[in-house]
């Protein structure tokens, strides 16, 4: 065994040192919207128990006795609501409005059809002469219309988070726990949770949960 040491030494002595292997690690990051994290904390901390305000409801909207649900029932053309109600398109406010801090509420939607959810300024006109746009003081979205099942047993759950001081209204799909969209602006007066159903949507029920 010892006689072979010299040959082994000479063999390895002529080997070249391999070049240093260099590599760079590519930093990969997965970006989530900031509102994605802590959704459960938002729900548990800022959850509001809202009720609908029949005084603001368009005459075609039927409010449940507990003021938690609304459906559309087209009325006679000569039937009018009071001076506080929406008179041009089927919409209704909640009884509660907010002019400070953070608030979260959940909405359940059953059936098919078009609807709009969001917030409006308390002074937003209800006579239909003003379009419900952010520029005019109404921040609303038409949520997940294609996701509404043709079966009325299917329930779509929507979460709305208002951060008044930050000037944000954010929307979530609670069925998938996913962030949907955020409006940003500068709020200077009381905001009212807002609910609207398209006149052609006879099979939609909105429920506050």
């Amino acid at each position: 065994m010892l006689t072979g040491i010299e040959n082994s030494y000479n063999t390895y002595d002529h080997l070249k040192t391999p070049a240093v292997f260099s590599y760079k690690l590519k930093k990969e990051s997965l970006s989530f919207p900031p509102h994605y994290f802590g959704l459960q904390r938002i729900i548990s901390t800022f959850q509001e128990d809202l009720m609908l305000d029949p005084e603001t409801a368009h005459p075609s909207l039927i409010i449940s006795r507990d003021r938690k649900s609304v459906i559309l029932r087209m009325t006679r053309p000569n039937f009018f609501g009071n001076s506080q109600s929406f008179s041009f398109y089927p919409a209704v406010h909640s009884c509660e409005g907010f002019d400070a801090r953070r608030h979260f509420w959940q909405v359940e939607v059953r059936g098919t059809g078009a609807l709009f959810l969001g917030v409006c300024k308390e002074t937003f006109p209800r006579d239909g002469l003003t379009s419900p746009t952010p520029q005019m003081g109404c921040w609303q979205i038409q949520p997940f219309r294609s996701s509404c099942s043709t079966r009325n047993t299917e329930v779509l759950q929507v979460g709305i988070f208002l951060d008044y001081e930050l000037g944000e209204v954010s929307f979530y799909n609670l069925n998938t726990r996913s962030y949907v969209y955020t409006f940003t602006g500068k709020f200077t007066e009381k905001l009212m949770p807002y609910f609207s159903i398209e006149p052609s949507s006879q099979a939609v029920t909105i429920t506050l949960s």
Side-chain angles (χ1 to χ4, degrees):
M1 181 181 68
L2 296 177
T3 58
I5 291 179
E6 184 177 358
N7 292 333
S8 298
Y9 175 80
N10 292 332
T11 301
Y12 287 104
D13 188 47
H14 292 86
L15 290 179
K16 293 183 179 179
T17 304
V20 177
F21 178 72
S22 62
Y23 61 92
K24 293 182 180 180
L25 293 177
K26 183 179 180 181
K27 184 178 181 181
E28 296 287 349
S29 61
L30 186 60
S31 177
F32 289 95
H35 299 290
Y36 179 87
F37 299 99
L39 177 57
Q40 188 56 46
R41 185 184 65 83
I42 290 175
I43 295 174
S44 61
T45 305
F46 304 109
Q47 177 77 46
E48 299 287 349
D49 184 19
L50 300 183
M51 291 193 299
L52 300 171
D53 183 4
E55 294 297 316
T56 65
H58 184 276
S60 295
L61 295 180
I62 307 300
I63 308 298
S64 64
R65 288 188 177 183
D66 63 0
R67 299 186 180 184
K68 287 290 189 177
S69 298
V70 57
I71 59 174
L72 179 71
R73 290 288 184 270
M74 296 306 295
T75 59
R76 298 185 303 273
N78 60 347
F79 183 84
F80 297 97
N82 58 55
S83 60
Q84 298 298 316
S85 63
F86 285 91
S87 60
F88 187 72
Y89 46 87
V92 62
H93 282 174
S94 69
C95 295
E96 302 83 355
F98 309 111
D99 57 7
R101 298 185 294 277
R102 298 170 180 173
H103 309 273
F104 182 90
W105 58 96
Q106 300 183 46
V107 182
E108 293 184 353
V109 180
R110 294 180 182 270
T112 59
L115 64 146
F116 296 89
L117 305 173
V119 295
C120 282
K121 292 180 179 179
E122 187 177 29
T123 58
F124 181 78
R126 302 169 191 165
D127 56 11
L129 300 179
T130 303
S131 300
T133 62
Q135 292 74 20
M136 303 307 298
C138 188
W139 297 264
Q140 62 172 6
I141 66 168
Q142 184 177 356
F144 334 118
R145 180 176 181 178
S146 60
S147 298
C148 292
S149 172
T150 56
R151 296 181 300 167
N152 288 339
T153 56
E154 294 288 337
V155 179
L156 172 65
Q157 295 183 322
V158 182
I160 304 172
F161 180 50
L162 169 65
D163 190 325
Y164 192 95
E165 279 76 19
L166 193 58
E168 292 186 350
V169 183
S170 301
F171 299 85
Y172 299 87
N173 181 339
L174 297 182
N175 294 75
T176 59
R177 295 281 168 166
S178 59
Y179 163 81
V180 178
Y181 188 74
T182 294
F183 286 107
T184 59
K186 184 177 181 181
F187 304 142
T188 58
E189 62 179 85
K190 181 179 289 187
L191 299 180
M192 311 298 295
Y194 167 92
F195 314 87
S196 178
I197 302 176
E198 284 284 316
S200 60
S201 301
Q202 296 280 347
V204 171
T205 301
I206 298 176
T207 302
L208 300 178
S209 58

